[in-house]
Amino acid sequence: MVEDRPTGGVPAPVRGERVLEVGCNDGSNLLPMAARLPDASFTGCDIASVAVRSARNAALALGLTNVAFLEADLASLQGGPYDRPERIAAADRAVL
């Protein structure tokens, strides 16, 4: 894992890491990251079905295979990669 270091506002690289964004909306944060960091994996979660559908369509149009979008309330996820607090904590990075 790459540690965060003060870099003048630029985050440390996330090569090979798993990134979770809670409240991802239409994927406007995750999609550019996924495009620039193909060795990392990204998951976005949002309760708004229209936004998640838009994010999924954009990822498909961009040919991104390292990003997934879940339509769910993170507090009520069951049976997924982030369905318990300890699994959320296991993400290498979280965007809240």
Side-chain angles (χ1 to χ4, degrees):
M1 183 168 141
V2 178
E3 293 181 22
D4 286 331
R5 294 183 186 94
T7 56
V10 177
V14 292
R15 290 180 219 101
E17 294 184 3
R18 296 165 298 156
V19 178
L20 169 66
E21 181 177 19
V22 178
C24 67
N25 198 359
D26 63 358
S28 59
N29 287 327
L30 288 185
L31 292 167
M33 288 189 274
R36 278 180 268 185
L37 300 163
D39 294 332
S41 65
F42 299 87
T43 301
C45 179
D46 203 293
I47 60 173
S49 61
V50 172
V52 171
R53 192 174 324 118
S54 176
R56 288 175 178 160
N57 289 338
L60 185 63
L62 294 168
L64 298 174
T65 59
N66 61 333
V67 62
F69 295 96
L70 306 173
E71 179 188 336
D73 180 344
L74 189 64
S76 64
L77 279 179
Q78 295 181 358
Y82 300 107
D83 64 348
R84 294 191 310 237
E86 63 270 19
R87 290 185 180 174
I88 294 169
D92 295 307
R93 297 178 188 245
V95 180
L96 305 173

